[in-house]
Amino acid sequence: MTVDTAAATLAHSPAARTTIAPRTALAATAEPAWVRRALIGVALAFLAFFLFVPLAAVFYEAFKKGLAVYLAAITEPDAVSAIWLTLIASAISVPLNLTFGVAAAWAIAKFEFRGKNVLLTLIDLPFSVSPVIAGLIYVLIFGLQGWFGASLRDHDLKIIFAVPGIVLATIFVTFPFIARELIPLMQAQGQEQEEAARVLGASGWQMFWRVTLPNVKWALLYGVILCNARAMGEFGAVSVVSGHIRGQTNTMPLHIEILYNEYQFSAAFAVASLLALLALVTLVLKYAVEQRVKKQRRDAGASAPPIE
Amino acid sequence: MFLSRTLLKRHSVLPGFDLALGVSLLYLGFIVLVPLSAAFLKTFTMTWPAFWGAVSSPRVLASYRLTFGASLAAALLNAFFGLIVAWVLVRYDFPFKRVVDALVDLPFALPTAVAGIALTALYAANGWIGRFLEPIGIKVSYTPLGVFVALTFIGLPFVVRTVQPVLEDFQKELEEAAATLGATRAQAFTRVILPVLMPALLTGFALAFARALGEYGSVIFIAGNMPMVSEITPLLIITKLEQYDYAGATAIAVVMLVAAFGMLLAINLLQAWTRKRQGR
């Protein structure tokens, strides 16, 4: 319908106005259908090339030579020890970062003190440091030529090219995850509820376990999920400090690298598929928890949340 | 007690400030600050010519060019497509939209080594995507273009995730006003919507760029790692370490750290600007 005929219709019949007017109002802040379709197409094509197809390729390559090869690759002793080491590194680093995250969030969100903004920036620091440099700095301190290298050797202790170094590097790269999820939420929630608990006679720990922790449990879980995913998948930092000793200091990502460099592609992708599966599980959990946290943040922003 | 007396701005009835801040500072110091300062202290043991020689040899300069160039190109591509993806996810409906939305975060969750081997396999001459590019003369795997592809992958979520919330909060009345005042849809987008999104878009771009500068895992598989051609700076640090040239490795690391801290500062300023724009 051309503009002229539309105007003519409008002038002649009042009834037509109600049917045409909303449609034109909608069109003013919406794109034509072909633009929508084109934009959706462009977005999906971009995501396909860089996300969907690579993800599918991991599983395709893993199973290309059949289930037997796949199972052999993930159950051979070196692979199993790599899986164990990955689990150990994340089982140590996640609780430590969790403790730190809660402590830092408590101090930052509930108190006003000098230097708070500096502390906030410093907490984010590990995110902007290259993983390779994260590994390097521990080599400079604990390596043979490092600050404590000689005294460590005298006491027969090994940190670099051993498990403690891998754990340290993992802690460094996953350092900010939990703190930065907790801080904004706890800041938005304020301190009235904790103050009420204190006034009603709760001890410090009672207040923490019964009021603070239940209020932040979803954000906490969210931080733990992200922290764990990164801890299990870290490659660069761990690669610098590990020494690549098969069966001893190889984590899953390092094991993948060795298999790949030895042209054992199917085995490499088989181990990689385990990590890709972990990533998918992480995304699902993340999405579910994210919805909860969003809701909680909205509630905290609007008014104090109800005590659960 | 010492912490609360010297640092607290006003008294609080809540307990645990000393314990919480004490634990935080101790942990932060041991894990992050002392080790990072080790890198700077190590370079102080070098003479200036030795330091300068280590950070400006032709091979190192070539690696800077590749790392910064590919990171910039990847962040630009992500800024353009990330804006479209964010727009499509916020404004339109299509099948499996929630799955697509959740998958955008894949590069955050997928270990970089896995991403590296997957992209290499895809973009190699016989890979699913590479076999179509090879006949028209485009080689991706084992070339600088591969570095760009890997860096695009790892930087992909940043722009989407910074622009998305701003677009969700965007007041449609502004668009309606623009339309009422006679703006075309394109004018409304470039003059009304884009200026509001700009701080978030720049923040996402800066985050993607900063992340790409330090990236190692996904790149080394696809790059081919030829000195002077496709060797990134983080790899050069590792190469120097493997040759026991600790001072040389640290000197390059310090250059990268300074660049990273510069980006961190820029990102903080951009985020402050974003908040101001949104009136929070």
Side-chain angles (χ1 to χ4, degrees):
Chain A
M1 191 183 285
T2 66
V3 178
D4 283 348
T5 50
T9 328
L10 278 175
H12 287 281
S13 94
R17 192 174 297 158
T18 51
T19 55
I20 292 172
R23 201 190 294 159
T24 44
L26 184 77
T29 58
E31 294 74 45
W34 68 268
V35 176
R36 286 172 181 241
R37 272 187 225 118
L39 284 176
I40 293 174
V42 168
L44 289 181
F46 174 70
L47 292 177
F49 272 105
F50 286 98
L51 287 188
F52 308 150
V53 179
L55 183 65
V58 173
F59 292 100
Y60 172 79
E61 297 281 345
F63 289 102
K64 200 161 75 174
K65 290 200 178 144
L67 195 63
V69 175
Y70 180 85
L71 289 176
I74 60 171
T75 52
E76 57 124 351
D78 285 348
V80 173
S81 89
I83 294 172
W84 266 115
L85 186 55
T86 297
L87 291 175
I88 290 169
S90 112
I92 299 174
S93 51
V94 173
L96 282 176
N97 282 337
L98 176 63
T99 313
F100 161 76
V102 172
W106 179 258
I108 288 172
K110 307 288 178 180
F111 298 91
E112 287 302 320
F113 59 93
R114 272 183 275 276
K116 194 194 240 184
N117 285 328
V118 179
L119 183 60
L120 270 170
T121 311
L122 289 179
I123 289 175
D124 268 348
L125 213 54
F127 275 165
S128 51
V129 172
S130 169
V132 169
I133 297 174
L136 168 76
I137 57 180
Y138 289 110
V139 173
L140 291 179
I141 291 182
F142 298 113
L144 264 187
Q145 304 177 12
W147 291 357
F148 302 118
S151 60
L152 282 171
R153 194 186 47 200
D154 294 343
H155 293 91
D156 215 17
L157 291 172
K158 237 183 158 193
I159 291 184
I160 301 304
F161 304 144
V163 177
I166 293 173
V167 172
L168 274 175
T170 308
I171 290 177
F172 183 96
V173 294
T174 57
F175 185 88
F177 277 107
I178 296 168
R180 61 183 297 161
E181 287 310 320
L182 289 181
I183 292 168
L185 177 65
M186 282 169 70
Q187 274 177 332
Q189 284 174 341
Q191 50 261 57
E192 287 90 352
Q193 290 186 30
E194 277 89 356
E195 283 167 0
R198 290 291 282 171
V199 170
L200 294 172
S203 74
W205 289 112
Q206 276 178 326
M207 171 208 70
F208 177 74
W209 290 109
R210 305 243 187 112
V211 178
T212 309
L213 215 52
N215 271 343
V216 299
K217 62 181 179 209
W218 292 113
L220 195 91
L221 186 62
Y222 185 77
V224 167
I225 291 167
L226 293 181
C227 185
N228 180 62
R230 183 71 197 270
M232 291 194 168
E234 179 50 31
F235 177 76
V238 170
S239 162
V240 175
V241 296
S242 112
H244 306 269
I245 309 165
R246 272 197 170 193
Q248 287 181 37
T249 63
N250 257 351
T251 61
M252 287 169 83
L254 298 178
H255 188 61
I256 293 170
E257 184 196 18
I258 290 188
L259 290 173
Y260 192 84
N261 286 342
E262 288 173 349
Y263 301 103
Q264 299 188 43
F265 294 131
S266 291
F269 277 103
V271 180
S273 75
L274 294 179
L275 286 174
L277 207 61
L278 171 80
L280 287 178
V281 171
T282 301
L283 288 185
V284 171
L285 286 174
K286 185 173 176 294
Y287 190 80
V289 174
E290 212 165 31
Q291 302 304 316
R292 296 258 184 179
V293 175
K294 260 189 197 165
K295 188 180 167 298
Q296 208 175 11
R297 264 208 208 146
R298 269 200 305 274
D299 295 346
S303 63
I307 299 174
E308 286 172 62
Chain B
M1 283 297 112
F2 171 74
L3 286 174
S4 53
R5 224 177 300 146
T6 49
L7 291 176
L8 267 189
K9 281 184 182 162
R10 66 180 141 80
H11 185 72
S12 168
V13 297
L14 296 180
F17 177 73
D18 286 286
L19 179 67
L21 191 65
V23 167
S24 307
L25 291 180
L26 222 78
Y27 192 70
L28 180 75
F30 276 119
I31 298 292
V32 180
L33 299 183
V34 172
L36 272 181
S37 61
F40 289 92
L41 290 176
K42 178 84 183 171
T43 53
F44 290 150
T45 63
M46 301 174 79
T47 62
W48 176 249
F51 176 81
W52 188 248
V55 300
S56 66
S57 75
R59 187 169 165 192
V60 180
L61 288 180
S63 85
Y64 295 149
R65 270 196 295 276
L66 175 66
T67 305
F68 283 86
S71 298
L72 188 69
L76 281 173
L77 189 79
N78 273 326
F80 179 73
F81 284 104
L83 179 63
I84 297 177
V85 171
W87 178 269
V88 163
L89 285 175
V90 173
R91 292 290 174 99
Y92 304 151
D93 268 318
F94 52 92
F96 301 109
K97 179 170 144 176
R98 296 175 94 186
V99 178
V100 171
D101 192 6
L103 271 177
V104 166
D105 282 328
L106 184 72
F108 287 157
L110 194 71
T112 50
V114 178
I117 61 171
L119 289 172
T120 312
L122 281 181
Y123 287 90
N126 57 353
W128 287 351
I129 299 176
R131 77 176 57 153
F132 298 106
L133 297 176
E134 188 84 358
I136 50 173
I138 302 174
K139 276 193 179 141
V140 180
S141 284
Y142 317 119
T143 69
L145 203 57
V147 178
F148 164 75
V149 167
L151 294 181
T152 305
F153 173 85
I154 56 123
L156 194 147
F158 288 101
V159 172
V160 182
R161 290 302 184 231
T162 49
V163 172
Q164 210 173 0
V166 182
L167 201 53
E168 272 165 6
D169 288 348
F170 188 80
Q171 291 168 323
K172 273 217 157 182
E173 289 85 349
L174 291 175
E175 284 169 66
E176 283 161 15
T180 319
L181 294 171
T184 64
R185 195 63 194 136
Q187 281 173 327
F189 181 78
T190 52
R191 303 258 185 100
V192 178
I193 302 172
L194 204 55
V196 176
L197 298 183
M198 213 35 153
L201 189 63
L202 280 173
T203 306
F205 167 79
L207 284 169
F209 180 69
R211 174 78 167 78
L213 282 184
E215 177 58 18
Y216 171 72
S218 57
V219 175
I220 54 155
F221 292 99
I222 201 169
N225 306 327
M226 272 184 298
M228 305 296 293
V229 179
S230 59
E231 187 179 50
I232 55 166
T233 312
L235 176 67
L236 208 52
I237 294 175
I238 289 201
T239 311
K240 297 243 173 202
L241 267 183
E242 281 169 356
Q243 297 162 348
Y244 301 103
D245 180 6
Y246 286 54
T250 312
I252 303 173
V254 163
V255 171
M256 294 307 280
L257 276 177
V258 170
F261 294 160
M263 285 308 297
L264 187 67
L265 184 70
I267 290 163
N268 276 345
L269 291 175
L270 279 169
Q271 274 168 341
W273 184 31
T274 313
R275 278 194 293 274
K276 210 169 130 196
R277 267 292 178 90
Q278 285 181 292
R280 279 186 197 158

